[in-house]
């Protein structure tokens, strides 16, 4: 079977802005190529080129344009020359409408808690801090984008979600029975030695990731060590260098992050609102025995399986950090449960095979 992957960026593109969703698309494509599927992975890049990841995995990076609508036509024009049986796209973008236009069976994979909501772009525009005139200017383009996305979701042949919350959203909003397939990650064989009490934050430094909260917590808990890993708008964490117990490490390779996670105890997720799915960094951290403390969201798993905490504000986050550091027995109970649960629930082979089965099912039903 020939599968077309449509993605806004490619994981191994050094010029790309890499997110957890991009990484997941790459892992799924890689797994399916190893199972014998022919993968055509089409994405955007500052430097257009094509190459092979392996004999079954071809990558086409086409020239990124200055706006969404120009990119839309560029992708549409390019894929007309490709022959494929099935289309996969992850996250809500104009690529969903392109999948619809191919007239081939296609799979939509939600990547966020609010990924299935209607008029998401308009809603975000309305509540954004842009000035009034800019909102007026952007209203029509955002409205068009929302309509295109919604046509794509409505007509998809299968909706895949990350958790129970998203499945309920699919049923409530779209009257669709979505399939839950958790994210993929490579197993960690042995529970690591926890040598040092460290609180860690990993992510893109953007407003909605709320990194300032991590800075505030480090200032208030001077007796503990805090590490921050990421890249983006450093103005949002201005003054971090004055905090003695906080070290900012910048952008690191995945292997370097994993080594740090083997030592650290707690990972904080400070993102505002129920906007993320299950962040890859949270999964990576749990697979190495870190206990997540997350603002406003537990991704339908943390409290249910007693592997982490959902909190409402800064004070509650501080209370949980102190609780885990001062009560080591409690920490290791949560840590070892998080390790066991995540290495089973997010296993690369297990979840990759679920994708394989559903891709075959959709293909056979529509061929």
């Amino acid at each position: 079977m020939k599968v077309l992957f449509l993605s806004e960026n490619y994981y191994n593109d050094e010029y790309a802005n890499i997110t957890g969703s991009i990484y997941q698309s790459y892992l799924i494509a890689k797994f399916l190529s190893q199972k014998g599927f022919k993968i055509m992975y089409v994405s955007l890049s500052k430097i257009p080129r094509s190459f092979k990841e392996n004999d079954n995995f071809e990558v086409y990076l086409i020239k990124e344009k200055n706006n969404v609508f120009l990119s839309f036509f560029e992708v549409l024009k390019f894929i007309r020359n490709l022959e494929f049986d099935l289309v996969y796209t992850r996250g809500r973008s104009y690529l969903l409408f392109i999948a619809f236009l191919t007239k081939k069976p296609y799979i939509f994979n939600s990547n966020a808690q609010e990924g299935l909501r209607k008029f998401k772009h308009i809603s975000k525009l309305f509540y954004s801090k842009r000035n009034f005139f800019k909102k007026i200017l952007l209203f029509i383009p955002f409205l068009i984008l929302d309509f295109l996305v919604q046509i794509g979701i409505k007509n998809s042949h299968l909706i895949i979600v990350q958790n129970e919350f998203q499945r309920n959203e699919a049923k409530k909003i779209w009257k669709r029975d979505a399939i839950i397939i958790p994210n993929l990650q490579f197993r960690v064989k042995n529970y690591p030695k926890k040598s040092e009490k460290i609180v860690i934050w990993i992510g893109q430094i953007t407003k909605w990731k709320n990194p300032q909260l991590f800075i505030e917590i480090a200032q208030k808990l001077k007796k503990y060590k805090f590490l921050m890993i990421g890249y983006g708008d450093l103005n949002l964490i201005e003054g971090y260098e004055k905090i003695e117990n906080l070290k900012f490490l910048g952008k690191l390779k995945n292997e370097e992050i994993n080594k740090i996670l083997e030592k650290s105890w707690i990972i904080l997720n400070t993102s505002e609102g129920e906007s993320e799915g299950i962040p890859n960094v949270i999964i990576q951290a749990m697979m190495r025995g870190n206990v997540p403390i997350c603002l406003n969201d537990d991704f339908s798993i943390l409290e249910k399986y007693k592997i982490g905490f959902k909190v409402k504000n800064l004070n509650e986050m501080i209370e949980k950090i102190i609780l885990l550091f001062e009560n080591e027995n409690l920490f290791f109970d949560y840590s070892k449960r998080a390790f066991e649960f995540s290495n089973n629930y997010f296993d690369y082979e297990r979840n990759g095979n679920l994708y394989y089965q559903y891709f075959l099912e959709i293909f056979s039903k529509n061929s």
Side-chain angles (χ1 to χ4, degrees):
M1 180 175 24
K2 297 177 181 178
V3 183
L4 173 64
F5 272 67
L6 294 175
S7 179
E8 290 183 285
N9 294 110
Y10 184 65
Y11 177 65
N12 285 332
D13 180 11
E14 63 270 30
Y15 304 101
N17 179 24
I18 303 304
T19 64
S21 185
I22 299 301
Y23 180 54
Q24 284 300 307
S25 291
Y26 167 76
L27 288 179
I28 295 161
K30 184 177 180 180
F31 183 90
L32 294 177
S33 72
Q34 292 167 341
K35 297 288 279 189
F37 287 8
K38 297 290 184 183
I39 303 297
M40 287 163 277
Y41 201 110
V42 175
S43 183
L44 299 165
S45 177
K46 292 178 181 177
I47 308 296
R49 59 205 187 277
S50 61
F51 54 90
K52 283 189 174 186
E53 284 277 351
N54 60 47
D55 289 342
N56 291 329
F57 192 160
E58 293 185 80
V59 180
Y60 302 97
L61 302 182
I62 59 181
K63 181 65 176 176
E64 186 177 3
K65 298 298 181 181
N66 292 330
N67 68 56
V68 166
F69 296 103
L70 289 176
S71 294
F72 171 90
F73 288 110
E74 195 71 16
V75 174
L76 194 60
K77 182 174 70 174
F78 182 84
I79 66 171
R80 284 176 180 168
N81 300 317
L82 301 177
E83 292 184 8
F84 48 89
D85 305 304
L86 186 71
V87 185
Y88 170 89
T89 187
R90 189 181 185 95
R92 50 183 300 145
S93 75
Y94 63 90
L95 296 172
L96 252 174
F97 188 65
I98 292 178
F100 166 73
L101 291 177
T102 65
K103 297 183 179 179
K104 298 284 186 180
Y106 66 97
I107 294 169
F108 165 57
N109 203 149
S110 176
N111 67 343
Q113 302 295 66
E114 59 186 31
L116 289 148
R117 294 176 189 171
K118 293 184 178 180
F119 299 105
K120 175 186 170 183
H121 293 98
I122 287 293
S123 177
K124 285 205 162 187
L125 176 65
F126 180 78
Y127 289 107
S128 72
K129 294 180 180 178
R130 292 183 175 96
N131 67 57
F132 176 76
F133 293 105
K134 196 160 188 179
K135 287 181 180 180
I136 294 296
L137 192 65
L138 291 172
F139 179 80
I140 295 300
F142 275 48
L143 184 64
I144 292 170
L145 186 56
D146 270 327
F147 272 121
L148 296 182
V149 167
Q150 286 164 203
I151 290 169
I153 295 174
K154 181 181 178 181
N155 292 282
S156 60
H157 294 74
L158 177 67
I159 297 175
I160 297 175
V161 296
Q162 296 168 295
N163 54 44
E164 195 67 42
F165 178 89
Q166 292 174 23
R167 182 162 68 178
N168 292 338
E169 288 279 281
K171 190 70 174 177
K172 181 174 69 176
I173 298 169
W174 299 101
K175 307 295 187 288
R176 297 284 300 274
D177 292 318
I179 302 299
I180 296 177
I181 304 182
N183 286 3
L184 284 67
Q185 286 284 354
F186 296 104
R187 290 183 76 95
V188 177
K189 290 183 180 179
N190 300 312
Y191 180 79
K193 291 181 180 179
K194 292 295 173 184
S195 56
E196 193 174 0
K197 292 181 179 179
I198 299 171
V199 184
I200 195 165
W201 186 98
I202 306 169
Q204 291 185 57
I205 301 171
T206 59
K207 284 184 180 179
W208 76 273
K209 290 276 188 181
N210 203 14
Q212 306 95 312
L213 192 66
F214 186 77
I215 304 295
E216 287 182 55
I217 292 170
Q219 285 177 312
K220 290 178 182 291
L221 296 177
K222 296 185 185 298
K223 65 184 286 189
Y224 303 126
K225 185 176 179 180
F226 288 76
L227 294 180
M228 192 172 208
I229 299 171
Y231 61 97
D233 185 0
L234 298 187
N235 291 321
L236 294 172
I237 57 170
E238 188 177 0
Y240 73 85
E241 64 278 355
K242 297 176 184 177
I243 304 170
E244 291 184 5
N245 60 320
L246 170 65
K247 187 178 287 187
F248 176 63
L249 302 177
K251 186 177 182 180
L252 298 180
K253 293 180 180 178
N254 212 36
E255 300 78 24
E256 295 172 311
I257 292 172
N258 286 337
K259 285 181 181 178
I260 294 169
L261 288 171
E262 288 175 3
K263 299 175 184 177
S264 58
W265 282 41
I266 296 170
I267 184 165
L268 301 188
N269 179 30
T270 55
S271 298
E272 295 177 327
E274 294 180 340
S275 53
E276 297 200 82
I278 302 175
N280 281 285
V281 292
I282 296 295
I283 299 169
Q284 276 178 266
M286 288 195 298
M287 292 177 100
R288 290 158 182 84
N290 285 256
V291 178
I293 303 175
C294 302
L295 188 66
N296 297 323
D297 199 353
D298 78 336
F299 322 115
S300 305
I301 59 169
L302 298 186
E303 294 184 339
K304 181 178 180 180
Y305 298 103
K306 294 184 178 179
I307 55 176
F309 298 95
K310 172 184 174 180
V311 298
K312 295 177 182 176
N313 52 48
L314 176 145
N315 289 333
E316 286 188 15
M317 200 165 259
I318 288 173
E319 287 172 10
K320 295 300 183 188
I321 293 169
I322 294 171
L323 176 67
L324 290 170
F325 278 162
E326 298 301 319
N327 187 339
E328 292 190 8
N329 288 334
L330 180 68
F331 166 76
F332 282 108
D333 281 347
Y334 271 80
S335 173
K336 288 175 180 177
R337 273 198 301 269
F339 172 80
E340 292 291 339
F341 173 85
S342 57
N343 275 286
N344 289 318
Y345 192 69
F346 300 106
D347 178 60
Y348 176 78
E349 291 290 334
R350 171 189 177 272
N351 296 337
N353 276 312
L354 289 175
Y355 275 102
Y356 177 70
Q357 291 164 20
Y358 281 110
F359 273 58
L360 284 176
E361 184 179 311
I362 294 301
F363 174 69
S364 63
K365 281 182 179 178
N366 294 277
S367 59

